[in-house]
Amino acid sequence: AIIQMLRLVGSAGVLGAPVTLVDSLGNGLHDLIVAPLEDLKRGHIGHFGTGVARGGISLISNSIYGVANTARMLSAAAGGGLARCTLDEKFARQRAMGLENEKPSHALSGISAGVKALGRGVVGGVSGVVVDPVIGARRDGVGGFLGGIGKGMLGLV
């Protein structure tokens, strides 16, 4: 029961899913050790170097995946928290829906989605610094203007 509870906490996105990171690193290390040994067990001494190369590639790719996935989950959790700090429910909903709809299928689509999201974020943040104070001033006067400045600055971050 304790192990399952630790796995549940360890898989939490807000922590960057450390269990996934450890699993990825463990799989890479396993392949680094096992792939060359399998070649030796089969009597393919000449393929030992190929096994080391396969295991090394697995270690590198699993390490990159584990670290990138952990960074993605940490930044998503931080971004979600900041979105809620804006106190703009519409923005938070749009952000959440956008994240659900943009699941990349390969590295190039992931990079493309990241660049698009960065562009939208910069444009939205910069425009919010100007637009939010104006909307706040129209709605609530000076207090709304000051609140809009704060909201715009949070959006910029």
Side-chain angles (χ1 to χ4, degrees):
I2 293 174
I3 292 174
Q4 288 184 340
M5 190 167 70
L6 289 174
R7 279 196 164 272
L8 179 66
V9 171
S11 65
V14 74
L15 301 175
V19 169
T20 304
L21 174 63
V22 170
D23 283 346
S24 295
L25 295 175
N27 288 337
L29 284 172
H30 174 269
D31 292 346
L32 180 64
I33 294 167
V34 170
L37 291 179
E38 285 178 350
D39 287 336
L40 287 178
K41 276 176 33 178
R42 290 185 192 131
H44 299 126
I45 295 172
H47 293 277
F48 179 79
T50 306
V52 170
R54 280 193 328 262
I57 289 170
S58 175
L59 175 62
I60 291 169
S61 64
N62 276 293
S63 298
I64 290 171
Y65 169 78
V67 170
N69 187 54
T70 299
R72 178 189 63 84
M73 294 185 86
L74 286 171
S75 66
L82 287 173
R84 286 187 289 280
C85 286
T86 65
L87 304 177
D88 186 344
E89 290 298 320
K90 181 181 173 189
F91 169 74
R93 272 194 315 275
Q94 286 174 336
R95 181 186 180 281
M97 287 174 49
L99 289 176
E100 288 176 10
N101 294 335
E102 293 186 16
K103 299 281 187 209
S105 57
H106 51 78
L108 193 55
S109 68
I111 292 169
S112 174
V115 169
K116 287 177 187 175
L118 178 63
R120 281 193 306 269
V122 169
V123 169
V126 170
S127 66
V129 171
V130 175
V131 173
D132 289 343
V134 172
I135 292 172
R138 284 185 184 158
R139 190 177 31 200
D140 298 323
V142 174
F145 177 77
L146 295 174
I149 290 174
K151 187 175 174 182
M153 295 306 278
L154 274 174
L156 193 59
V157 173

